[in-house]
Amino acid sequence: NYISYVAGGQTASRLNGDTGIESATVKPDGSLITWSTTVMTVLTSARCGFSMLQYNGFLYIVGGASTTTLAATVEYNKIKSDGTMNSWVSTTSFGTARGSFGGTFATISGGYMYINGGCGSVTSTDCTSINSSGTTASQATTTITGTGTNWTSALIGNSITYANGTVAMITA
C-alpha cells in the first residue's frame, strides 16, 4: 500500500500555520481512500510553507514558517508499516531559515538532503547526509552562483542541484 500525507499549512482560521497531519491510502488506480487523522502525530509547532520529504521510511519537515518567523529546522518521523507515525524528532538545523509559498526548496538524492531556494534572499545551498536512523549530519554550505534567489524551487538532475534554474552545486 502507498500512503499520501498532508501536513500543516494555512487555513482561514489558522493563518500562522497548522499542526495537523492527515493520511490517505492510495488505491492501485491512483484514487485515494478517505483522508484521516486517526493515529497521526501532530507537528511539534504550527507551520506552513515548509518542504515535506520522504526517504528510507522517514518523513521530513524542513523549514517553513510559524507566525511571521521563518525556520531553519529539520524534523523527522519514522513511518510505521501501517502508515501511522511515532513522535516528531528534531535533528540538525540548516544554516539559512527559509520557507516557500509554492514549490519546494529541499530535495533528497543518493542519501543526501539539499536545501536551497525558498522565499527570502537566499544565497546558499545546504547539504547533509542522512543517517540510517533518520538523523542528519552537520550541514555543509555552498554559495549559490549569482545573486540571492527568491521564491525558488529545488530539484536534482544528473547529479547537479538546481535552484530556480541556476546551478547551485555539483554532488560528489
Side-chain angles (χ1 to χ4, degrees), residues 12-128:
S13 62
R14 294 191 174 121
L15 294 176
N16 295 322
D18 190 31
T19 59
I21 301 240
E22 295 183 36
S23 67
T25 300
V26 181
K27 294 180 186 178
D29 67 1
S31 63
L32 299 174
I33 295 176
T34 306
W35 289 96
S36 173
T37 58
T38 305
V39 242
M40 301 309 296
T41 305
V42 297
L43 300 174
T44 58
S45 63
R47 272 196 220 199
C48 58
F50 51 83
S51 284
M52 185 166 64
L53 307 168
Q54 185 279 330
Y55 178 75
N56 205 23
F58 292 90
L59 200 60
Y60 293 86
I61 300 292
V62 182
S66 182
T67 64
T68 57
T69 305
L70 291 174
T73 57
V74 177
E75 294 181 11
Y76 67 99
N77 201 326
K78 177 74 173 162
I79 301 171
K80 297 178 186 178
S81 61
D82 65 358
T84 60
M85 297 182 194
N86 296 299
S87 295
W88 289 93
V89 179
S90 293
T91 187
T92 307
S93 294
F94 53 96
T96 304
R98 58 191 87 194
S100 178
F101 296 98
T104 182
F105 55 86
T107 190
I108 294 175
S109 179
Y112 291 89
M113 182 182 296
Y114 298 90
I115 304 165
N116 58 5
C119 64
S121 183
V122 180
T123 60
S124 66
T125 293
D126 292 298
C127 172
T128 183

Side-chain angles (χ1 to χ4, degrees), residues 111-163:
Y112 291 89
M113 182 182 296
Y114 298 90
I115 304 165
N116 58 5
C119 64
S121 183
V122 180
T123 60
S124 66
T125 293
D126 292 298
C127 172
T128 183
S129 60
I130 301 173
N131 302 314
S132 61
S133 64
T135 61
T136 57
S138 60
Q139 308 283 331
T141 301
T142 302
T143 302
I144 294 175
T145 305
T147 59
T149 57
N150 196 11
W151 299 94
T152 61
S153 294
L155 65 93
I156 290 187
N158 296 325
S159 298
I160 300 174
T161 303
Y162 296 88

